[in-house]
C-alpha cells in the first residue's frame, strides 16, 4: 500500500512531466569593452518554462553564446555602470537570443534572461 501511494505510478501522472520553470545557466562570458583594457565578465541564466524546452534550447548554446558576445562586445564601460543601461542591455539580450533561436524553431519556452554576475574591469 505504501508503494502505491508514494510511487510515481500511484500519483496519477499522465507520463508527461512539467516541473515548472527551469533556470539554464550559461558559461561565463568574457568580452572586450570599448577602450584599452576594459573587460566585461557576465554570468547569465535563461528562464525556461519546462525541461523539454530547456533541452531544445541547450542544443543551441553555441548560437546563444555567439549572439551574446556580439551584443556585449565593444560597449562603453561608463554607460554600463548605470543600472538603467544594464536593464536595457538585459532586454536587448533577451530579444536577440529569442530572435536567434526563432531562426531554428527553438525559441519556444524561453521566458526571460538574467545577469547573475556582471563585472566591469
Amino acid at each position: 500500500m505504501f508503494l502505491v501511494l508514494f510511487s510515481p505510478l500511484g500519483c496519477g501522472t499522465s507520463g508527461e512531466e512539467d516541473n515548472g520553470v527551469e533556470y539554464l545557466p550559461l558559461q561565463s562570458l568574457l568580452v572586450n569593452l570599448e577602450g584599452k583594457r576594459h573587460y566585461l565578465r557576465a554570468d547569465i541564466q535563461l528562464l525556461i518554462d519546462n525541461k523539454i524546452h530547456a533541452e531544445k534550447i541547450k542544443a543551441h548554446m553555441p548560437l546563444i553564446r555567439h549572439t551574446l558576445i556580439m551584443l556585449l562586445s565593444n560597449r562603453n564601460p561608463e554607460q554600463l555602470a548605470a543600472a538603467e543601461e544594464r536593464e536595457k542591455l538585459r532586454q536587448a539580450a533577451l530579444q536577440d537570443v529569442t530572435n536567434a533561436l526563432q531562426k531554428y524553431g527553438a525559441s519556444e519556452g524561453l521566458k526571460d534572461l538574467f545577469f547573475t554576475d556582471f563585472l566591469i574591469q
Side-chain angles (χ1 to χ4, degrees):
M1 174 102 167
F2 178 79
L3 292 175
V4 173
L5 290 175
F6 295 103
S7 73
L9 296 174
C11 293
T13 60
S14 66
E16 255 184 64
E17 287 189 28
D18 187 5
N19 295 338
V21 298
E22 181 169 322
Y23 287 92
L24 183 60
L26 306 179
Q27 289 179 339
S28 291
L29 294 174
L30 180 64
V31 297
N32 294 316
L33 294 177
E34 186 178 88
K36 290 186 177 184
R37 296 188 179 138
H38 289 288
Y39 304 98
L40 167 65
R41 192 195 80 196
D43 289 341
I44 298 172
Q45 291 200 22
L46 304 177
L47 177 63
I48 315 297
D49 67 0
N50 65 46
K51 288 186 182 220
I52 294 169
H53 291 139
E55 289 302 317
K56 289 180 182 177
I57 290 172
K58 279 181 193 177
H60 296 283
M61 278 301 167
L63 171 68
I64 294 168
R65 287 181 55 80
H66 169 76
T67 300
L68 291 169
I69 288 169
M70 298 306 288
L71 175 68
L72 297 173
S73 295
N74 293 318
R75 296 267 175 177
N76 183 306
E78 286 80 27
Q79 287 178 340
L80 292 177
E84 301 85 27
E85 289 300 315
R86 287 192 307 271
E87 178 57 22
K88 286 180 187 176
L89 186 59
R90 186 187 75 79
Q91 293 291 334
L94 176 61
Q95 188 61 50
D96 285 4
V97 168
T98 299
N99 291 342
L101 289 171
Q102 280 177 341
K103 290 180 185 177
Y104 298 97
S107 66
E108 188 177 353
L110 177 60
K111 297 297 180 192
D112 216 335
L113 177 146
F114 301 102
F115 294 123
T116 55
D117 195 9
F118 200 88
L119 176 66
I120 300 170
Q121 183 176 343

